[in-house]
Amino acid sequence: MQSDLIQDKDLGPDDILLAAKSAEREITPIWHARVAQALLQHHHSQEAVEQFEHSLDKDLRKPVLNAMSLFVIHDKMASACADLGRYTDAVEHLELSEQQRASQMHSLEREPAEIVASLLKAAHWQYLANMTDRAIQSAKKGWKIFMEEQVE
């Protein structure tokens, strides 16, 4: 019942930070990433980007994040940047997330629909970032994969 009330309440960035700090956990790159995800979930994209940046900055000084964590951070940061209309940054973080995915999950097969969705998201953000040629290439790759799946 208590958790339902918390989920229904519109939490501001200060509320989320206060809740995170009240847990009295060590403030690490993972802590910042989790706070950023909570902020993003409550549509506080600017504050989420700031927390993701803190996470990545701390990790640069003392690396503790694994490839999977970096994949999630860059993927979520791409979404936050896109929410803010920072499409060039969104494309950059999407590419970094895909690099981390490839290095971490090279042995895991991705469903063609997931690959197509990722390529179309990239194409959309590339187009909005005035990267028209790259957007066309991404869309063509997605279309090719889609059509190959239709034949099989």
Side-chain angles (χ1 to χ4, degrees):
M1 184 79 150
Q2 177 78 13
S3 64
D4 291 339
L5 293 174
I6 291 172
Q7 288 177 350
D8 290 339
K9 183 180 178 197
D10 184 24
L11 296 175
D14 292 337
D15 299 322
I16 294 167
L17 281 170
L18 181 63
K21 288 178 180 176
S22 70
E24 298 181 1
R25 304 256 185 206
E26 181 183 357
I27 298 178
T28 65
I30 291 289
W31 182 90
H32 284 289
R34 288 181 178 158
V35 170
Q37 287 178 323
L39 288 162
L40 190 57
Q41 185 176 3
H42 288 276
H43 310 288
H44 304 297
S45 299
Q46 180 58 47
E47 293 84 355
V49 167
E50 291 167 9
Q51 289 296 319
F52 282 130
E53 287 172 345
H54 287 310
S55 177
L56 293 170
D57 288 345
K58 280 188 172 200
D59 190 61
L60 278 176
R61 284 182 257 137
K62 183 181 176 188
V64 294
L65 298 172
N66 62 26
M68 179 61 95
S69 295
L70 289 168
F71 158 70
V72 171
I73 289 169
H74 285 294
D75 184 64
K76 298 297 182 188
M77 195 164 177
S79 295
C81 287
D83 290 346
L84 296 169
R86 293 171 39 188
Y87 298 108
T88 302
D89 292 336
V91 168
E92 179 183 336
H93 286 287
L94 186 62
E95 289 170 352
L96 290 168
S97 75
E98 289 298 324
Q99 289 172 6
Q100 292 300 324
R101 178 195 298 265
S103 73
Q104 176 66 21
M105 299 180 256
H106 58 276
S107 63
L108 298 177
E109 287 284 325
R110 288 174 68 190
E111 291 293 321
E114 183 184 357
I115 296 169
V116 170
S118 180
L119 287 165
L120 293 180
K121 177 169 59 172
H124 182 189
W125 291 348
Q126 288 162 342
Y127 173 77
L128 293 171
N130 295 318
M131 300 174 180
T132 310
D133 291 340
R134 289 177 62 189
I136 291 169
Q137 288 175 345
S138 295
K140 283 182 177 180
K141 284 181 193 174
W143 182 251
K144 181 179 178 189
I145 293 169
F146 175 77
M147 292 306 293
E148 288 170 356
E149 282 301 303
Q150 298 305 307
V151 173
E152 292 177 7

